[in-house]
Amino acid sequence: MADTKREIERKYEGPPAGGDAPLPDLTSVPGVSGVIDKGVAELDATYYDTADQRLATASLTLRRRTGGDDAGWHLKLPVSEGVRDEIRAPLSDTVPEDLTALVRSRIREAELVPVVRLLSARDIRHLVDASGTLLAEVSVDRVRAERLSGGAGSAEWTEIEVELADDGDPAFLDKVEKKLRKAGIKRSASASKLAKALDDTAPRKPEKAGKPEKAGKPGKAGKVADMSKATTKAAKPEPVDSTPRTAGDHILTYVRAQRDAIVELDPAVRRDVPDSVHRMRVATRRLRSTFRSYGKILDRTVTDPIGVELKWLAAELGVDRDQEVLTEHLTTALDDLPSDLVTGPVQARLSTWSGARRSGSRQHLIAVLDGKRYLDLLTTLDTLVAGPPLCEAASKKPEKVIAKAVRKDFEKVADLVGEALELPPGSERDLAMHDARKKAKRTRYAAEAATPALADPAADLVKSMKSLQTLLGDHQDSVMVRGALRELATEAHAAGENAFTYGVLYGRAEQRAAAVEAELPGEWEAIEDKGAV
């Protein structure tokens, strides 16, 4: 079974072979009372990746290491600069299935093969405070790298690592760095040992004689080549121009961001990281909404089938997420009740009911992420980004094309809200308000994509639609809560339990829905006064 450790560290360039002593006296670092020599550990690590280095491209590392006190398999996932989650698994001859699953969104069906072997002599020192508590581990690594695939190069270097102790204050690393900098030691130019090894051992291309040819303008043939490349090297991100100019540039930037979010959140969803399912589901909805809102920019004959698959994925993610949210609402409502209104084993029944659904949906979700349909969708998104199906309007200025699309979505929201307000309370109004909520969400996403191009007007619309979405979401939550309470009450009654408390909770949920319906006209009037972009 794999376990996780949050790793916060900084890497520095060590002296060349035969140079000065690698470390200054660290006892003068504020907070440090002692430096304990822990000796030298001999480490032997083999790093795995696909033949086209999809993990390295995404700053992920997967290794099998012996030696030291943490021998085993280690998968490192980037969190932020200098911070990674290290997922560990016991030693085995082959890559553990748990770790393979965590990189599935990157490698797809590609094989993981040994790419680099690193042999390190690690000279370890512990920095401790007055009580002997570990503050950080400082190591001087003398490394030899051997290329195992894609060449036969080797390289040697010395590197200094400073790793913060568990639950330590990251500010302590600044104090250590200040001391190192005074000694002339600078940060490493490479993000990891693997990155440096791949770079230093890569085969060098011979220089071509004569004058280099000028690059021609890309045509249709070039576009086809790009799409083919995306299919064979699906997980490698393509260079992106950071200064969007046309309407197509702006929308593609947003599309790329959502595609990247889906891929990057995959390991977190598999690990059941809080809020990861919700964030991944939002990315799929943003992407699908963008395809529908900006059909004048991206050809819908291409994007509509992808939208169908995104809707499917969002629904699968929703099985888990919706149950989680529903349980939170029910638990909160029950906690808010005075004790004299709680009769029977309500909490126990709610826990049993929720746990049964949560367990089943969790297993189903993992099966979805391991399935061919999901992996094919990821590859299709890569292909679309590499060779986008741009319409004629994509080449136009964004101020006109994008603004028109956003206004069109806003008008649809207005129609649906107006329809809901005209209906009497009941199931038809509930459905109409739910439809208005979904349209408000789509308009919000369209405005998000438009914000870099349209600035404040689009940002203001995002806020308006978020406010409306929240209000209508409260109403829909009440509808779902009432449905769950009917189910729970039926089960309790069949078991001979008192169903009084479920009725009380139902009445309170009904009151919340009525309050939202009373608030909606004023909320919508304020939004209409502001208008769209």
Side-chain angles (χ1 to χ4, degrees):
M1 180 66 68
D3 62 285
T4 303
K5 179 182 183 298
R6 176 61 56 88
E7 178 183 83
I8 303 176
E9 67 177 16
R10 297 181 186 178
K11 297 180 182 293
Y12 302 87
E13 294 183 1
D20 297 333
L23 288 176
D25 179 13
L26 297 175
T27 56
S28 60
V29 174
V32 175
S33 294
V35 178
I36 303 174
D37 188 344
K38 304 298 287 185
V40 177
E42 300 294 336
L43 308 177
D44 186 345
T46 299
Y47 287 77
Y48 286 70
D49 204 337
T50 61
D52 54 357
Q53 297 177 15
R54 300 181 187 184
L55 299 186
T57 300
S59 299
L60 276 66
T61 60
L62 174 62
R63 72 185 178 202
R64 181 187 188 276
R65 191 169 77 181
T66 57
D69 58 4
D70 63 345
W73 286 91
H74 306 149
L75 170 63
K76 297 192 178 187
L77 305 173
V79 176
S80 59
E81 184 178 1
V83 182
R84 295 185 292 183
D85 279 342
E86 184 176 271
I87 319 297
R88 298 176 176 179
L91 278 175
S92 60
D93 293 335
T94 58
V95 182
E97 290 184 7
D98 287 352
L99 300 189
T100 301
L102 292 177
V103 297
R104 183 74 68 202
S105 66
R106 299 289 184 181
I107 67 173
R108 315 290 162 80
E109 301 299 329
E111 182 183 5
L112 289 169
V113 297
V115 292
V116 166
R117 183 185 184 191
L118 297 183
L119 301 170
S120 304
R122 170 164 289 182
D123 191 356
I124 305 169
R125 293 166 178 81
H126 282 182
L127 308 186
V128 298
D129 63 14
S131 67
T133 300
L134 179 65
L135 299 172
E137 180 177 285
V138 180
S139 63
V140 179
D141 295 345
R142 292 175 173 82
V143 186
R144 174 177 174 79
E146 300 174 354
R147 190 89 172 197
L148 301 179
S149 65
S154 63
E156 295 184 8
W157 70 89
T158 300
E159 179 177 288
I160 298 169
E161 282 189 9
V162 183
E163 182 175 348
L164 189 68
D166 293 346
D167 301 320
D169 181 1
F172 178 70
L173 296 182
D174 294 333
K175 299 175 183 179
V176 178
E177 179 162 317
K178 184 176 181 180
K179 184 66 176 179
L180 296 177
R181 289 173 66 89
K182 285 184 177 180
I185 297 173
K186 61 182 180 179
R187 289 275 196 108
S188 174
S190 299
S192 65
K193 285 185 177 66
L194 176 61
K196 182 171 178 59
L198 290 172
D199 184 58
D200 289 357
T201 66
R204 302 304 174 190
K205 295 182 180 180
E207 295 184 5
K208 293 183 179 180
K211 188 176 180 180
E213 295 182 5
K214 293 183 178 179
K217 293 182 179 180
K220 292 183 178 179
K223 193 175 196 179
V224 173
D226 284 344
M227 293 180 71
S228 174
K229 182 178 180 181
T231 301
T232 58
K233 297 186 177 183
K236 278 198 169 186
E238 46 295 302
V240 177
D241 187 348
S242 60
T243 56
R245 295 174 297 275
T246 66
D249 290 335
H250 280 281
I251 300 309
L252 285 175
T253 296
Y254 191 75
V255 166
R256 286 189 190 96
Q258 306 319 313
R259 184 279 309 266
D260 291 348
I262 293 172
V263 173
E264 291 166 6
L265 284 165
D266 180 290
V269 171
R270 293 174 185 271
R271 293 162 57 204
D272 204 14
V273 174
D275 205 41
S276 59
V277 172
H278 171 63
R279 291 165 58 202
M280 188 175 186
R281 191 183 187 191
V282 168
T284 64
R285 285 174 163 175
R286 280 176 168 149
L287 199 49
R288 179 169 174 256
S289 293
T290 300
F291 290 157
R292 298 179 70 184
S293 295
Y294 294 105
K296 297 294 184 182
I297 294 174
L298 293 172
D299 187 353
R300 287 194 60 171
T301 62
V302 176
T303 62
D304 276 357
I306 302 175
V308 171
E309 296 303 289
L310 289 168
K311 183 178 181 181
W312 160 78
L313 178 58
E316 296 290 2
L317 292 166
V319 172
D320 199 40
R321 172 62 181 173
D322 290 346
Q323 181 62 40
E324 178 184 339
V325 171
L326 186 55
T327 300
E328 289 175 0
H329 284 305
L330 289 167
T331 300
T332 300
L334 182 59
D335 290 343
D336 289 342
L337 273 186
S339 58
D340 60 343
L341 295 180
V342 179
T343 60
V346 180
Q347 183 62 64
R349 177 160 296 282
L350 174 57
S351 297
T352 302
W353 174 83
S354 174
R357 285 155 180 76
R358 170 74 170 164
S359 175
S361 63
R362 182 79 199 147
Q363 294 172 4
H364 176 73
L365 178 56
I366 298 303
V368 167
L369 297 183
D370 285 334
K372 185 176 184 299
R373 184 174 182 180
Y374 167 70
L375 298 177
D376 285 348
L377 171 58
L378 297 185
T379 301
T380 299
L381 291 174
D382 290 334
T383 302
L384 179 136
V385 168
L390 298 175
C391 300
E392 183 179 351
S395 62
K396 297 181 179 179
K397 292 183 178 181
E399 291 79 4
K400 182 177 180 180
V401 178
I402 293 179
K404 183 177 180 181
V406 175
R407 284 194 297 270
K408 184 176 180 181
D409 278 349
F410 182 80
E411 290 168 0
K412 292 179 180 177
V413 174
D415 291 341
L416 288 172
V417 172
E419 178 183 329
L421 291 174
E422 291 176 357
L423 292 170
S427 59
E428 287 190 23
R429 173 179 268 196
D430 291 344
L431 182 59
M433 292 180 71
H434 183 47
D435 287 342
R437 172 175 173 261
K438 291 188 291 184
K439 190 63 67 176
K441 189 181 301 183
R442 173 175 159 183
T443 305
R444 172 189 168 189
Y445 296 152
E448 283 180 353
T451 298
L454 306 182
D456 289 347
D460 290 341
L461 183 59
V462 170
K463 293 178 182 178
S464 293
M465 290 297 99
K466 185 176 181 179
S467 176
L468 178 63
Q469 178 187 331
T470 299
L471 184 65
L472 295 174
D474 289 343
H475 186 275
Q476 179 62 16
D477 288 342
S478 170
V479 173
M480 298 302 294
V481 163
R482 282 177 279 163
L485 287 169
R486 282 193 295 268
E487 182 179 339
L488 284 163
T490 300
E491 292 179 1
H493 179 74
E497 299 167 6
N498 192 321
F500 169 78
T501 300
Y502 305 105
V504 174
L505 292 173
Y506 188 97
R508 289 192 166 198
E510 202 168 38
Q511 288 177 348
R512 285 196 296 275
V516 169
E517 293 178 19
E519 185 180 348
L520 180 59
E523 174 78 12
W524 179 246
E525 183 178 354
I527 291 174
E528 274 197 310
D529 288 343
K530 294 179 182 178
V533 296

